[in-house]
Amino acid sequence: MNPRARVLLLNAALGPLDYRVDPGQDVAPGSIVLAPLGPRQLAGVVWEPEHMPSDAEVGDNRLRPLAGVYDLPPLKASLRRLIEWTATYYLAPPAAVLRMALASASALDGGRTVIEYRPTGMVPPRQTPQRTQALERIADRQGLVRELATIADVSDAVIRGLVKAGAIEPVEVRVDDPYPIPDPDHAAPDLSPAQALAARRLTEAVDARDFAPILLDGVTGSGKTEVYFEAVAQAIRGGRQTLVLLPEIALTEPFLKRFAERFGVAPVAWHSDLRQSQRRRAWRAIASGEAAVTVGARSALFLPYRDLGLIVIDEAHESSFKQEDGVMYHARDVAVMRGRFEEIPVILASATPAIETRQQVALGRYEEVKLPARFGGATMPDIAAIDMTQDRPDRGRWLAPALVTALGETFERGEQSLLFLNRRGYAPLTLCRHCGHRFQCPNCTAWMVEHRLTARLACHHCGHVMPPPRACPECKEEDSLVACGPGVERIADEVAALFPAARTAIVTSDTLWSPAKTAEFVGRMEAGDIDVVIGTQLVTKGYHFPNLTLVGVVDADLGLSGGDLRAAERSFQQIAQVAGRAGRGAKPGRVLVQTHEPGAPVIQALVSGDADSFYAAETEARRSANAPPFGRFAAIIVSSENLDEAVATARSIGRAAPQVEGMHVYGPAPAPLAMLRGRHRQRLLVHARRALDVQDVIRGWLGELDWPRGARVAVDVDPYSFL
Ligand code: ADP
Ligand code: ZN
C-alpha cells in the first residue's frame, strides 16, 4: 500500500499536502481525514496526486502522519471531478470549493446528541429590556446559545442569564434521527395529456441513468412543478437521490409545503439559515444516501450525495443562482456539469428561459420539453401598458389613475391585487430641501434608503444604519429632509390613503425574514385577510394565490436603467414572472404595467405576448456584440481600503495584460460601485471569443504578478453584475 497520501485541506490559502499513512489506515481517494498542520489539526480529503499536483513535495522521511480517518463515505470520484472543474473554471482555490462539499464541520464528528435551548414560556422574575427583546424575537424557536443570541440580537450572556433564570431550558436533540422517505404515489395528480407527455419524457430520462440536460419550458401556471415532481417520484422509486435547487431561501417554505402535499412528507432542506444541528443532520443523511430528496439554495449543489439520480433547477433563469462572493460560480452551469459527471438528467424549469439556455437548445445540446398552456383552462393574464407620460399620477403619488381604478374594481369584487416594485423601504433617496444634501453611505457609493417601518436610514449594500436625523447634517436646517421616489412602504401608504378599508401587506426581505413569517403571509393570503400586496421580487415567484386577479407593475423602467448586458432580458423575465401571479385560478387575471416608454421592445413583447421575437432580437444583439453566449466576459475586480493602492494595482494588472488573438481588455476604470464596504474598487473587463480558454490566459497573467497585501484581486468569470 502507498505509504503516503495527498490531502486537500480545508484551508483555501494552502495547496494540497502529503501525509504519511500508517498501516491499517484506509485512505482510498475521497476519504475524509484529519491531518496535522503546525500545532493544529484540520479536516481534508484524500486526492489522486495526478489530479491535484503539488509544488511542495516532501521526502518520505519528513512526512507527518495523518491524525485519523473519519468513518464517513469517501467523496465520490464524480464529486472530486466537479470540485476540480469548478476550481479551474472559476479560478478558485480547490479547497474553497471543497469547503462547500464538507459544509458542516460538526457533521464530521458523528451523530452525537446536541444540547439546544428553547423558551419555557416562563417570564423571568427580573426583566430587562434586553431580556424582553430576546424572548420576543426568539418566540418559539430553538437553537444553540450562539444561535439564539444572533436571532435575538443580544449577547450570549443575556441568553445564559435567561437559562439561569429558568426562562430558557436545555433540550437534547438527536442529530441522527432518520428522515421519513417520501411516498412517490402519495397524491399523484391526474395529468393533462400535454403534462403526461412531458412527464413521460422526464421519467424516461431518470430511468436511462445518463447525462441529459432538459429545458422544461412552460408558461407560468402550466404545471411545471407537477410535471417535474413525476421525475422526482421516479427517482424515489428507483432508490436514488434528487436535488431540487431553488433560487432563493424564501421560496423553500412554500416549496416544502407543496412537496409534502404531493409526497406525504417534507424533503430535506438545505440553506444558510439552518441551525447547526439541522445542518449536521441533513449533511449526514445526504452523505449516507438516506436523504431521498434535498431542496436547497445553490450551496446544496456541492454536497456529497451518495447516489444522486436527478437534479432539478427551478426558475432556472434566475440571476440569483449566480454567487457574487467567495467562489463566484453560477449554480445553473455547475449543476449541469454535476449532471455530466454523475451521468444523470438535469431539468431546468422556467417560464422565461435565459438566452444562454435557449442557445444550448438551439445548438441541440439541451433537449426542450414544452408545456404550452396553463393548467385547467386558466387563461394567461391580459397585459396592458400604462403610458405614464399621458396617464399621470397626482403630484406626490406614484399610481396612475388607470391603475387606481383597476385596484378599486378588484377590491370591490373581493379579489386580491399585487403591486410590484423592486425597491425596499420608503424612499430610495433622502435629501435636504434647503441645501440639497443627499444622504450617502459612508462605506459605499450608494444612497441611504429610508425605512419608515423601522425608523431608520439603511445602506442596502453594507447594512450600515442610522436614525433619520431631525436636522440636516450639512446646513443644520431642521425638518428639511424630503423623501425622493417611492419604495414599497410609500406605495403602501398611497394605497392606504386611496382605499382606507383595504387591508395591505408589504412583502420584502425586511418583512418576510423567517420561514414562520412567510408561512404567516401565505396563510393570510389564502384566508383572504389581505386585499393588496405590495412587494419586491420576493413575491414574484412560486406563489399560487387563485384569488389574486390584478397585478400592477409600479415602475417597469426601473430594471432597464444601468444598461448591463442582461437588463432587457431580466426586465422581461421579472415582469412576465410577476404577471404570472395573476389569474391562476378560475377568474381571469389582469396586468397593468406603468412605463414612461410604452414603445420599448420589452414592453411591446409583454403586451403583445410575443416573447419569441423579443428573444430573437435580444439574441441577435448579443451575437453581433459577441456578448455571451456567443463570446465570453471575465471581470477582474481590484479593491483596497486605500484608493491609490487600488488604482496602482489595477493599472499594473492592466499594463501586464497579454496580447492574445481574440481577446480584448477594457479598463481599468473605477467600478460603478466605486466604493463598497469601505473598499475602493477598480474593474477590468476581459472580452474574448468563445473558443478561447480565457481562464488559462488570466491564470498565467495574474500568476506572474504581485500586489500589496492590502489589495484584493477577484476574478468573476461569466459575470452577471457589472457593478
Ligand atoms: P408552474 O410551476 O408551471 O407555474 P404549477 O406546477 O405551480 O405551475 O401549477 C399551477 C397550479 O395548477 C398549481 O396549483 C398546481 O397544483 C395546479 N396543477 C397543475 N397541474 C395539475 C394537475 N395535473 N392536476 C391538478 N392540479 C394541477
Ligand atoms: Zn454601505
Side-chain angles (χ1 to χ4, degrees), residues 39 103 169 252 312 570 647 661:
E169 65 182 359
T252 324
V312 179
R570 201 174 307 135
V647 172
E661 155 78 29

Side-chain angles (χ1 to χ4, degrees), residues 391-635:
D391 193 12
R392 289 208 192 116
D394 295 340
R395 215 182 133 64
R397 297 273 167 105
W398 315 96
L399 304 178
L403 181 52
V404 173
T405 306
L407 278 170
E409 291 164 1
T410 309
F411 179 51
E412 286 302 314
R413 282 200 299 271
E415 295 167 12
Q416 294 166 314
S417 304
L418 163 65
L419 295 176
F420 167 65
L421 175 64
N422 215 8
R423 258 193 197 146
R424 292 157 50 208
Y426 184 83
L429 169 67
T430 303
L431 57 74
C432 169
R433 164 183 319 127
H434 191 240
C435 73
H437 173 76
R438 298 164 168 213
F439 283 80
Q440 193 174 350
C441 174
N443 312 315
C444 307
T445 316
W447 306 125
M448 296 294 285
V449 178
E450 183 183 2
H451 287 248
R452 284 214 178 154
L453 293 177
T454 49
R456 46 194 188 176
L457 300 178
C459 169
H460 288 176
H461 292 280
C462 72
H464 177 77
V465 291
M466 60 192 264
R470 259 183 45 82
C472 171
E474 197 65 34
C475 68
K476 315 294 177 213
E477 185 83 4
E478 290 202 4
D479 297 318
S480 68
L481 304 184
V482 277
C484 298
V488 284
E489 292 179 9
R490 196 169 199 174
I491 301 297
D493 278 4
E494 188 170 335
V495 171
L498 290 165
F499 307 103
R503 294 153 304 173
T504 61
I506 295 173
V507 174
T508 71
S509 53
D510 300 312
T511 59
L512 297 199
W513 44 268
S514 74
K517 289 277 176 196
T518 307
E520 185 195 321
F521 162 67
V522 172
R524 285 174 58 212
M525 273 304 275
E526 285 173 349
D529 290 343
I530 298 172
D531 301 305
V532 185
V533 181
I534 302 101
T536 58
Q537 46 87 27
L538 198 63
V539 78
T540 63
K541 292 177 285 266
Y543 295 109
H544 181 75
F545 301 123
N547 199 36
L548 201 167
T549 55
L550 173 68
V551 166
V553 177
V554 176
D555 186 352
D557 311 330
L558 195 58
L560 286 172
S561 58
D564 82 64
L565 172 66
R566 298 179 180 84
E569 183 191 4
R570 201 174 307 135
S571 284
F572 179 84
Q573 289 165 335
Q574 206 163 51
I575 296 172
Q577 193 93 48
V578 66
R581 295 314 103 192
R584 292 171 71 93
K587 301 170 201 153
R590 212 175 145 192
V591 181
L592 294 173
V593 179
Q594 299 196 145
T595 174
H596 287 87
E597 279 184 81
V602 182
I603 307 294
Q604 287 297 313
L606 288 160
V607 170
S608 68
D610 185 3
D612 289 345
S613 18
F614 169 73
Y615 269 104
E618 276 295 299
T619 307
E620 267 329 294
R622 299 260 195 108
R623 194 195 304 272
S624 60
N626 245 325
F630 303 100
R632 32 171 91 239
F633 285 122

Side-chain angles (χ1 to χ4, degrees), residues 188-192 195 218-229 258 261 314-315 349-351 371 374-376 542-544 546 577 580-581 584:
D190 285 328
L191 298 179
S192 72
Q195 289 176 335
V219 296
T220 50
S222 58
K224 291 185 294 298
T225 315
E226 293 307 333
V227 167
Y228 77 65
F229 273 173
R258 183 149 177 205
E261 283 162 11
D314 205 350
E315 314 285 6
S350 175
L371 287 174
R374 278 195 159 177
F375 173 76
Y543 295 109
H544 181 75
Q577 193 93 48
R581 295 314 103 192
R584 292 171 71 93

